[in-house]
Amino acid sequence: MSGRRKAHQLVPWVRYTLGLLFILCTIAPSVGQSFTTEDYYLFPINPGGTNYLAGTMGEMRGTHFHGGIDIRTGGRIGLPVYAAADGYISRARVQAGGFGHVLYMQHPNGTTSVYAHLDRFAPHLEEYLISNQYRREKYFIDLFPPSDRFTFRQGEIIAYSGNTGSSSGPHLHFEIRDPQARVLDPLKFGFKEVTDNIRPTLQRVAFVSLDGDARINGAFGRYEFTVDNTDEGYRLTKPLVLEGRVGIEMQYLDRHNGSSARNGIPEIILTMDSDTVFHQKKTNISYGEMRNIIVHMNYPTYARKRRKFNKLYRDDGNQLSFYLTTNDGLYFDEAPRDLELSLIDSYGNVATFTKSVNQRKIQYPITPEIARFELQGNYLHLQSSDSLITVDANALEYKVAPYHETAAKRYFLWDLRKGLPDTIFADTRKMATHFQTMVPSGQEFQFFNPDINLSFGPRDLFDTLYLRFEKEETLNEEIFRFRNRESAFRQNVEVTLRPKRSYSDQSHVYVKSGRNYAFKGGKWDEGTVQFLTRDLGTYTIKEDTTPPQIRVIRLDASKLIFRIGDDLSGVASYKATLNGDWLLLKYDAKRSRLESADELNKSFDGEFILEVTDNAGNTRIYQKTISNS
């Protein structure tokens, strides 16, 4: 076990003594003790054995960075989870999503270890949890025990692994946080339980025009290239000519021995002519920085294709602190340049990509693939067969010439900072753009029109937002459609919808996606409805007057199991009583399942009532007399 102490149990008086010691340690931490010391921590699952990971610290997860490592449990629930080091439980929480059942453990060196998606806690912790759930009559609960209440030595069992919260399968999510509550990379602490001698995999590279004069093989836009894997590293055989300010991006993955999981990479270095122009190293990440992933990766590409590209430049609004060297795009003229990219995983395995650009003239110009027009940065990129197109903006008509031509098509650019086009005339067609206004970042901003109001705070946006919106009315619903699906915000924006139709108190805002509706909520005020969002989509208002469903799976003196659900607004809350007293039922939101707690070892006898309420306020009541005779 690499010199770590084996699991053992302690008698109560020793626990009490340790509790006092831990209080002293938090007041006066050990002199010279480093929280980065290898072998300080025990691997929390199957210590000393072979383990496999399903996720690593810092990997990109859509709208946040992953905070720790995900340890596979072989599809099983109930594996012992061991204390990574001496410490005490500072927090115990049960929530429907997120971490589910989670424990936070404070250690004498100032760090905190986190154990999430648990099935249950150690018996005396579970008893404490249940007693507080009954006292507060709440299943979802957040507890902060005194520091001398639950002390553990390294290697003691503190919980059992599970699949609770937003977990997509049984595993243990494990974090180590420094004294500033920043997540650290657990793989840097000398764990031998995970083996990795496999170099990272580079899947694609992309080059992006970052201003109106930038070109990739003669074209404006963003272009992805697959790469060849050779013994010497990754190569791109296609000739590449870059002009102006260009951003480089990459899609990658990392695998560990014996695992097919697609994990992240903490360190990336880009050089141009041997000079380092970009260097990121994720040694720690603050939870306050997590949302910056929206501008760390190419979010529009993720929204459209679900491909995660790491930008090798700092985009507007990016406040991440793990860049050692960065740029706002690389500037290219006609001179040849040598690019080299290094991908370094947590175990020091390295993959390299090299490419020489601007070595010769363009032989095969890129043909942009755009349908009519697309928005990129501050520009509209358009295609037409016309030799000139007309842009209506600022109550004026502008004739725009193409910047690039092929045998069949011509390509045009319009700088939106010159004015927002109302319409565009091309190919004998009049195209509506639905632009409403330009929303600047870094300041408060209000927008009003007959259908919507929007209120932006100074920190809500990462960058300028070119707001696009249209209102549509069908026979059955009013549709408020924002055409900014590829934009996401740092903080919530306040949106007010101004419907023309009348709605009941059980009507709420829903996100509309095809035939699917997701409850958004909203607060009504004199015929308008307000809600908060961190991305703009398509909204409608629907009435929900149907109560939730309750289906009995098992109902007897020894076990209660139900499946609950709601067809539209979704389940908001539930309450169970037995003979008028509150009764603990565990809720698994992923399976829509309510189940009595086996830990209680309780026999059910008497009048049982279950009330389930949806987000629209509708309630379904199930009532049954249970007899244990």
Side-chain angles (χ1 to χ4, degrees):
M1 296 178 66
S2 305
R4 301 183 182 95
R5 286 164 287 192
K6 295 182 180 179
H8 53 279
Q9 301 295 322
L10 301 178
V11 294
W13 70 268
V14 176
R15 287 183 185 279
Y16 178 76
T17 303
L18 278 172
L20 295 179
L21 288 175
F22 283 127
I23 295 173
L24 293 175
C25 287
T26 57
I27 297 173
S30 301
V31 177
Q33 191 170 42
S34 171
F35 57 81
T36 59
T37 304
E38 288 193 3
D39 288 340
Y40 183 86
Y41 302 97
L42 182 78
F43 202 75
I45 290 279
N46 187 27
T50 300
N51 283 268
Y52 304 100
L53 302 183
T56 52
M57 176 266 189
E59 70 181 45
M60 297 185 290
R61 291 288 182 91
T63 57
H64 67 281
F65 296 99
H66 191 239
I69 57 175
D70 286 341
I71 306 169
R72 293 185 183 274
T73 58
R76 294 168 292 172
I77 290 174
L79 271 63
V81 176
Y82 300 97
D86 296 352
Y88 64 88
I89 300 301
S90 57
R91 186 181 186 186
R93 188 179 187 188
V94 176
Q95 58 186 138
F99 282 164
H101 286 56
V102 56
L103 290 176
Y104 298 75
M105 191 171 188
Q106 185 73 34
H107 304 295
N109 68 349
T111 64
T112 301
S113 56
V114 182
Y115 313 79
H117 306 305
L118 302 168
D119 182 60
R120 63 190 187 280
F121 304 152
H124 57 302
L125 254 174
E126 189 75 10
E127 181 181 346
Y128 170 79
L129 168 70
I130 292 174
S131 65
N132 275 276
Q133 287 172 322
Y134 267 93
R135 183 168 60 86
R136 303 185 190 185
E137 297 189 354
K138 293 173 60 178
Y139 175 60
F140 301 116
I141 198 168
D142 200 3
L143 303 172
F144 298 86
S147 59
D148 61 345
R149 183 71 181 270
F150 299 106
T151 60
F152 291 88
R153 293 294 300 273
Q154 182 185 63
E156 283 195 283
I157 295 173
I158 60 172
Y160 296 88
S161 67
N163 185 29
T164 57
S166 58
S167 168
S168 58
H171 73 278
L172 175 71
H173 175 91
F174 175 63
E175 295 181 11
I176 298 174
R177 301 183 184 180
D178 71 10
Q180 287 74 47
R182 298 173 299 188
V183 292
L184 306 174
D185 186 354
L187 299 181
K188 293 297 187 182
F189 290 92
F191 293 126
K192 305 298 190 296
E193 286 81 0
V194 177
T195 302
D196 180 8
N197 54 27
I198 304 171
R199 71 178 187 176
T201 299
L202 178 63
Q203 298 168 292
R204 295 177 178 87
V205 293
F207 298 88
V208 188
S209 300
L210 295 181
D211 60 36
D213 297 323
R215 302 287 183 268
I216 293 93
N217 283 8
F220 176 89
R222 179 183 180 277
Y223 301 96
E224 298 177 10
F225 300 89
T226 56
V227 294
D228 297 323
N229 188 0
T230 71
D231 292 338
E232 292 76 29
Y234 289 94
R235 300 286 188 270
L236 173 61
T237 57
K238 185 180 181 68
L240 202 60
V241 175
L242 305 178
E243 307 169 67
R245 187 164 66 99
V246 174
I248 303 175
E249 303 173 356
M250 51 168 283
Q251 183 188 20
Y252 58 80
L253 60 88
D254 187 47
R255 288 196 169 98
H256 298 93
N257 293 47
S259 174
S260 61
R262 296 167 170 251
N263 296 319
I265 298 171
E267 187 170 9
I268 300 169
I269 302 173
L270 174 66
T271 66
M272 185 165 71
D273 297 337
S274 299
D275 293 329
T276 299
V277 292
F278 180 85
H279 187 183
Q280 72 173 49
K281 192 171 184 179
K282 299 173 185 172
T283 55
N284 62 72
I285 304 177
S286 165
Y287 267 91
E289 294 182 335
M290 289 291 186
R291 187 71 178 173
N292 282 272
I293 195 174
I294 299 299
V295 282
H296 170 76
M297 70 176 179
N298 192 301
Y299 189 78
T301 298
Y302 172 73
R304 290 196 306 267
K305 302 179 181 179
R306 285 300 185 259
R307 293 179 182 173
K308 300 170 186 172
F309 276 82
N310 194 129
K311 295 176 181 176
L312 308 184
Y313 56 97
R314 188 194 289 268
D315 214 343
D316 292 338
N318 188 343
Q319 298 175 355
L320 287 167
S321 58
F322 56 63
Y323 303 119
L324 305 183
T325 305
T326 189
N327 60 86
D328 60 356
L330 302 179
Y331 291 84
F332 295 89
D333 50 23
E334 296 180 354
R337 300 290 183 186
D338 292 326
L339 301 173
E340 181 171 320
L341 178 62
S342 299
L343 290 73
I344 308 167
D345 68 20
S346 295
Y347 287 84
N349 302 298
V350 182
T352 60
F353 165 80
T354 56
K355 178 63 181 175
S356 295
V357 302
N358 297 357
Q359 295 293 321
R360 51 186 167 175
K361 293 183 179 180
I362 303 168
Q363 293 179 333
Y364 304 101
I366 289 177
T367 300
E369 296 181 3
I370 56 177
R372 294 195 294 176
F373 66 85
E374 65 178 25
L375 177 63
Q376 182 182 318
N378 295 311
Y379 298 90
L380 267 190
H381 195 192
L382 307 97
Q383 67 91 6
S384 171
S385 60
D386 294 344
S387 57
L388 291 174
I389 64 170
T390 302
V391 175
D392 278 359
N394 308 319
L396 297 172
E397 287 189 356
Y398 297 86
K399 298 294 184 182
V400 181
Y403 77 87
H404 178 60
E405 298 186 42
T406 66
K409 294 181 181 178
R410 297 177 176 88
Y411 297 88
F412 307 79
L413 284 179
W414 176 259
D415 189 338
L416 293 168
R417 291 167 294 188
K418 295 180 179 179
L420 299 183
D422 299 313
T423 54
I424 298 168
F425 294 89
D427 296 326
T428 69
R429 289 186 301 175
K430 179 180 178 181
M431 294 183 288
T433 63
H434 306 292
F435 282 108
Q436 300 292 323
T437 190
M438 181 178 72
V439 184
S441 61
Q443 64 186 65
E444 292 186 355
F445 188 88
Q446 306 285 329
F447 173 75
F448 303 91
N449 80 5
D451 301 307
I452 56 171
N453 300 345
L454 285 91
S455 178
F456 298 87
R459 285 186 46 80
D460 291 351
L461 302 181
F462 290 105
D463 196 5
T464 300
L465 173 69
Y466 296 101
L467 183 68
R468 300 175 65 205
F469 170 81
E470 62 176 321
K471 171 76 179 298
E472 177 185 350
E473 291 199 45
T474 69
L475 183 63
N476 298 318
E477 59 186 353
E478 294 179 270
I479 300 172
F480 302 80
R481 179 175 289 111
F482 291 93
R483 294 182 174 270
N484 296 96
R485 183 175 63 91
E486 297 172 1
S487 299
F489 313 135
R490 179 183 285 112
Q491 296 181 162
N492 280 319
V493 170
E494 183 182 280
V495 179
T496 302
L497 305 184
R498 297 181 172 278
K500 295 180 180 177
R501 303 178 186 181
S502 298
Y503 295 93
S504 72
D505 292 341
Q506 290 173 295
S507 299
H508 295 85
V509 177
Y510 291 80
V511 180
K512 179 179 172 65
S513 178
R515 296 182 179 180
N516 298 318
Y517 298 89
F519 181 82
K520 192 69 177 177
K523 180 180 179 181
W524 287 94
D525 181 25
E526 296 183 354
T528 67
V529 58
Q530 299 175 352
F531 60 94
L532 299 175
T533 183
R534 289 199 292 185
D535 48 60
L536 294 173
T538 298
Y539 304 99
T540 190
I541 300 170
K542 295 185 73 67
E543 183 183 51
D544 181 2
T545 58
T546 304
Q549 303 95 37
I550 300 175
R551 184 163 71 89
V552 179
I553 297 177
R554 179 175 171 181
L555 181 66
D556 55 46
S558 60
K559 192 70 175 176
L560 308 176
I561 305 176
F562 302 87
R563 192 175 301 279
I564 62 175
D566 188 77
D567 289 338
L568 187 56
S569 63
V571 172
S573 63
Y574 69 92
K575 180 181 179 181
T577 60
L578 185 66
N579 298 319
D581 296 326
W582 187 84
L583 179 66
L584 174 65
L585 293 183
K586 296 183 174 182
Y587 181 43
D588 183 345
K590 291 192 294 290
R591 297 193 296 164
S592 303
R593 185 181 173 100
L594 284 174
E595 187 171 349
S596 55
D598 293 332
E599 296 88 341
L600 296 175
N601 194 25
K602 187 179 182 68
S603 178
F604 304 107
D605 185 22
E607 191 68 16
F608 171 79
I609 299 176
L610 174 61
E611 298 182 23
V612 180
T613 303
D614 66 18
N615 283 297
N618 304 296
T619 298
R620 175 86 66 184
I621 299 177
Y622 175 84
Q623 190 169 354
K624 182 76 173 181
T625 300
I626 306 173
S627 175
N628 61 9
S629 58

